[in-house]
Amino acid sequence: INIKQKVIREILMLVSLLLVFYFKPYYSIEGKVTMIDVGQGDCFLIQQPFNQGNILIDTGGLKNKDIASLTLVPYLKSQGINRLDYVFISHNDFDHCGAYDSLVKQIKIKQTITSYQEKIKIGDIEIEMLKSGMKTKDNNDNSLIIKATINNLVYLFTGDISSKVEHKLIENYPNLKVDVLKVSHHGSVTGTSSEFLEAVRPKIALISCGKNNRYGHPNKSVLERLEDYDVKVYRSDLTGMVKIIYYGDDNYIYP
């Protein structure tokens, strides 16, 4: 009898623990913006409080590894996420979307967006895509440019755009100011111009790139420009995953 009672207690404890993990996203009072470390690529997760919506901007992608199975899916499930409400793909470079095919087989995706949408409201988050007005065959310069207002902070996700597109942006949106800048093209010398930094004045820069990558990202001149404008830089190749956690009116960054 004692053995049976002990087994029942342990089963009940296990079931209770599983229920806590399952329902955790629904009673979480904090939101998160996470730069997921996918090596040489981009992948950003936005989690809203109380499971109001989970958004992924790009999926990353490595030719020699299934980054979805190795990194994305385990992390999403550790956060209690079994469904993504939106996945935005900035452009079709493999390091931005290569993991999508594997991800969609393992995680339910409600909607995938690969083209311009003017404005979208997801829970308490306002997403606006910005237009450069440029006509180009350059895949990088055709990246979706996503402005997201999250807990009173303005984030700008710039894909792989070059300084030519940055110039057009500040012409089209002269009052554009951001708090958090996703540095374009993993910190390549092709973007993040002084003109752009002078206009948008970010406080924080997020650079997603692989450790000791063969492209030399982020470029030294880009890092120097960010330092000149007193921008605090967080790099996935040095710190791994970076989280900006928000609660109430406060925002906290954890490298």
Side-chain angles (χ1 to χ4, degrees):
I1 291 173
N2 289 339
I3 291 172
K4 284 183 178 180
Q5 289 176 341
K6 183 179 179 183
V7 169
I8 290 170
R9 282 199 304 271
E10 290 178 350
I11 291 173
L12 288 173
M13 288 175 64
L14 179 60
V15 170
S16 299
L17 188 61
L18 290 172
L19 287 172
V20 166
F21 278 109
Y22 180 80
F23 287 107
K24 182 178 182 293
Y26 295 92
Y27 59 78
S28 177
I29 60 175
E30 65 182 26
K32 299 175 189 174
V33 180
T34 305
M35 176 168 65
I36 300 176
D37 183 8
V38 291
Q40 183 64 17
D42 269 12
C43 184
F44 292 82
L45 174 67
I46 303 171
Q47 299 168 259
Q48 294 193 67
F50 305 109
N51 205 42
Q52 293 179 83
N54 297 305
I55 305 160
L56 198 68
I57 299 177
D58 286 333
T59 67
L62 297 173
K63 295 284 188 180
N64 59 343
K65 292 180 181 177
D66 181 358
I67 202 74
S69 296
L70 291 173
T71 301
L72 290 185
V73 173
Y75 180 69
L76 292 173
K77 290 189 174 179
S78 77
Q79 298 296 298
I81 297 174
N82 295 300
R83 184 186 80 168
L84 292 165
D85 297 280
Y86 285 85
V87 173
F88 292 84
I89 301 296
S90 65
H91 62 302
N92 62 5
D93 278 5
F94 196 85
D95 60 339
H96 288 255
C97 66
Y100 180 85
D101 289 343
S102 176
L103 178 66
V104 76
K105 293 174 184 175
Q106 303 177 67
I107 295 287
K108 184 177 179 182
I109 298 174
K110 187 176 178 181
Q111 189 167 354
T112 302
I113 295 178
T114 59
S115 58
Y116 176 82
Q117 309 277 328
E118 188 173 2
K119 288 186 179 179
I120 305 172
K121 189 168 175 64
I122 307 169
D124 290 331
I125 295 176
E126 295 178 1
I127 289 179
E128 178 184 0
M129 292 193 194
L130 307 184
K131 279 186 172 180
S132 71
M134 279 184 58
K135 292 183 179 180
T136 176
K137 293 181 179 180
D138 188 310
N139 195 40
N140 290 335
D141 280 345
N142 284 322
S143 297
L144 297 180
I145 304 162
I146 299 170
K147 175 187 170 187
T149 303
I150 307 170
N151 200 46
N152 300 317
L153 292 184
V154 177
Y155 293 71
L156 190 65
F157 299 89
T158 55
D160 281 351
I161 65 170
S162 70
S163 55
K164 291 183 292 185
V165 178
E166 292 173 350
H167 177 75
K168 287 292 185 181
L169 275 182
I170 56 181
E171 275 189 350
N172 296 343
Y173 305 92
N175 297 318
L176 178 62
K177 294 290 184 288
V178 306
D179 299 292
V180 182
L181 174 67
K182 197 293 293 185
V183 172
S184 73
H185 208 169
H186 323 289
S188 168
V189 71
T190 57
T192 319
S193 64
S194 295
E195 177 192 31
F196 187 63
L197 293 174
E198 177 70 32
V200 301
R201 291 286 176 171
K203 301 177 183 69
I204 291 171
L206 303 177
I207 302 178
S208 183
C209 59
K211 190 172 184 179
N212 300 320
N213 65 84
R214 63 191 178 96
Y215 307 100
H217 296 156
N219 187 270
K220 183 180 178 182
S221 62
V222 171
L223 296 174
E224 288 174 349
R225 285 198 290 271
L226 289 166
E227 185 179 359
D228 289 343
Y229 283 91
D230 199 27
V231 183
K232 179 67 176 175
V233 176
Y234 294 90
R235 298 166 46 178
S236 64
D237 62 327
L238 298 182
T239 60
M241 188 177 295
V242 175
K243 296 180 182 179
I244 300 175
I245 296 177
Y246 60 92
Y247 168 73
D249 293 326
D250 298 319
N251 297 274
Y252 308 92
I253 190 160
Y254 294 92

